[in-house]
Amino acid sequence: MPERIWNFNAGPATLPLPVLEKIKADLPNYNNTGMAVMELSHRAKDYAAIHAEAQNLLRELLTIPANYKILFLQGGASTQFFMIPMNLLSQDQTADYINTGTWSKKAIKEAKLFGKVNVAATSEDANFTYIPAMDGITLTPGARYLHCTSNNTIAGTQMHVFPDSGTVPLICDMSSDILSRKLDVSKFGLIYAGAQKNLGPSGVTVVIIRDDVIDMSKDTIPSMCQYKIQAEQDSLYNTAPTFSIYILREVLKYFKTIGGMKAVEKENAAKGKLLYSVIDDNADFFRSPIARDSRSLMNVVFRLPSEDLEKQFIADASAAGFGGLKGHRSVGGIRVSMYNAMTLKGIEALTEFMLGFMKDNG
Ligand SMILES: *Cc1c(COP(=O)(O)O)cnc(C)c1O
């Protein structure tokens, strides 16, 4: 077994090896402070530089306009499921949600605690194997916002076209595909993502929020939950998850060094092209249940001819140094999670293994 496996975990997920090595080197004595990063005060100058650089790198990589704040919060994307309606929705108001799977459903459930929810479109009729057409969605006049999930980590689908919400703020859960492709941030009122898939470790959630959405937010809810306070205090109202933010900065620095979004997007496209072509070219052995126009470049879900073969595939893959390939229990089959830090090399190795397995068992 190699020292490091090809890690296809769905989240937390693999990180770039140079980043892990940098963290290790920095660990006992960060920047000549005589302390590790997690021992610094969150008010210290050295920490302030980390916090600001992580924000600046995100702003630069995603070309985030000046009228957006970048927040680093805790509680995961799941906390945003309730924090969004807690700030923006009241009992007599309606929010529109697009339901494309498990995570959308959880977001909808939380929103219902605060106000009315209209499901503007859903693909539940086909077990979430496709993304509904965005020109056929039914929006509520005067809705507070429209919520969507850009990549469905469990189902294996991804939005390749975003809905047009008009003047209503568009809110998107990008937990599993943020920074994987170029993005027009100006189309969104709020973007959020737990860091542990594409950006870094768990413990920090990135929220990119437009100033007018902060202005729409309530100031009659607990301080920690107020976007207004978190923005005014630059996410330092209380102790920030400093070590997670430091790792986030290292990951962002790494993506910038290798060529920024252009390079990341290109690598992700090449990974998807290779893996889906092996699936499609061998369709009587590997079967993708996902509608072609809805396929995810981050989580590739496929089936084998039998559940026994799927079990054997996962066991043989594990013995050969490929981990994390078991599909989510609600879907079954195989899931290849290949976020930004997974290289084309990893997909080349995996597809070679897949073809060998097919030859031996097909
Ligand atoms: C993983 C995931 C979540 C949950 O994230 P937590 O940070 O664990 O709360 C939410 N949405 C999507 C799309 C995810 O992939």
Side-chain angles (χ1 to χ4, degrees):
M1 184 68 109
E3 201 186 330
R4 278 180 58 79
I5 65 161
W6 291 115
N7 177 354
F8 297 101
N9 279 337
T14 194
L15 289 172
L17 185 57
V19 168
L20 299 177
E21 281 162 351
K22 172 73 165 46
I23 297 165
K24 185 178 165 190
D26 276 353
L27 199 58
N29 180 5
Y30 175 73
N31 203 22
N32 264 325
T33 55
M35 292 176 272
V37 170
M38 74 278 261
E39 298 174 305
L40 298 173
S41 162
H42 60 295
R43 312 279 176 207
K45 178 169 68 59
D46 284 279
Y47 176 72
I50 293 171
H51 198 90
E53 195 184 358
Q55 289 168 331
N56 293 340
L57 282 164
L58 256 181
R59 198 176 288 281
E60 184 185 334
L61 285 165
L62 277 179
T63 39
I64 300 173
N67 61 327
Y68 287 74
K69 300 284 186 291
I70 301 169
L71 310 180
F72 297 140
L73 305 181
Q74 300 194 52
S78 301
T79 291
Q80 294 310 304
F81 292 165
F82 71 78
M83 196 162 152
I84 289 160
M86 190 186 230
N87 274 273
L88 297 173
L89 191 61
S90 298
Q91 290 300 339
D92 56 342
Q93 297 172 327
T94 301
D96 288 332
Y97 277 74
I98 295 171
N99 181 11
T100 50
T102 307
W103 298 113
S104 307
K105 278 167 93 167
K106 290 194 170 179
I108 289 168
K109 178 172 177 243
E110 303 295 75
K112 285 180 175 167
L113 297 170
F114 296 92
K116 292 186 218 123
V117 169
N118 166 51
V119 176
T122 177
S123 50
E124 195 159 18
D125 58 341
N127 206 19
F128 300 118
T129 50
Y130 71 99
I131 302 282
M134 284 303 122
D135 48 11
I137 62 177
T138 49
L139 299 177
T140 309
R144 289 289 283 173
Y145 59 84
L146 168 63
H147 180 283
C148 62
T149 312
S150 57
N151 185 75
N152 298 282
T153 324
I154 293 171
T157 61
Q158 188 172 21
M159 280 186 158
H160 299 293
V161 180
F162 287 103
D164 180 0
S165 60
T167 55
V168 168
L170 179 59
I171 295 184
C172 190
D173 176 0
M174 293 195 189
S175 291
S176 53
D177 70 352
I178 192 164
L179 222 76
S180 70
R181 54 183 173 179
K182 282 189 218 108
L183 188 71
D184 182 359
V185 172
S186 72
K187 290 210 152 55
F188 298 87
L190 190 159
I191 292 167
Y192 65 101
Q196 67 272 20
K197 284 151 190 156
N198 268 305
L199 297 177
S202 60
V204 58
T205 309
V206 171
V207 176
I208 302 164
I209 182 170
R210 207 169 56 208
D211 289 339
D212 62 282
V213 178
I214 296 176
D215 293 341
M216 282 170 68
S217 299
K218 286 180 209 163
D219 50 16
T220 51
I221 56 177
S223 306
M224 278 294 288
C225 292
Q226 286 188 38
Y227 288 124
K228 269 196 186 109
I229 288 182
Q230 294 289 5
E232 276 163 18
Q233 307 275 325
D234 196 16
S235 313
L236 290 163
Y237 174 77
N238 76 327
T239 316
T242 54
F243 196 61
S244 296
I245 294 167
Y246 153 77
I247 299 174
L248 167 66
R249 181 194 67 166
E250 293 305 319
V251 171
L252 296 173
K253 263 171 40 183
Y254 174 79
F255 288 145
K256 186 179 168 182
T257 316
I258 62 166
M261 288 318 297
K262 214 172 152 192
V264 172
E265 186 172 59
K266 197 171 151 216
E267 180 103 346
N268 284 333
K271 284 150 56 184
K273 188 161 177 251
L274 175 58
L275 182 48
Y276 281 115
S277 73
V278 165
I279 292 170
D280 291 339
D281 292 349
N282 301 284
D284 43 7
F285 194 76
F286 302 112
R287 186 177 54 82
S288 163
I290 306 301
R292 256 171 204 270
D293 63 357
S294 306
R295 287 172 164 184
S296 169
L297 287 182
M298 298 284 102
N299 309 94
V300 179
V301 167
F302 62 90
R303 304 303 306 245
L304 266 55
S306 72
E307 286 190 14
D308 282 345
L309 272 177
E310 287 169 349
K311 269 195 197 119
Q312 196 193 326
F313 179 90
I314 290 158
D316 289 7
S318 171
F322 303 94
L325 291 169
K326 194 170 188 295
H328 190 270
R329 60 190 180 280
S330 65
V331 174
I334 312 296
R335 172 173 55 172
V336 181
S337 296
M338 45 184 205
Y339 304 118
N340 295 336
M342 174 53 66
T343 55
L344 178 58
K345 261 207 175 104
I347 302 306
E348 285 166 355
L350 178 70
T351 48
E352 205 174 296
F353 170 82
M354 286 167 64
L355 292 171
F357 184 87
M358 181 180 72
K359 208 163 143 243
D360 295 342
N361 297 282

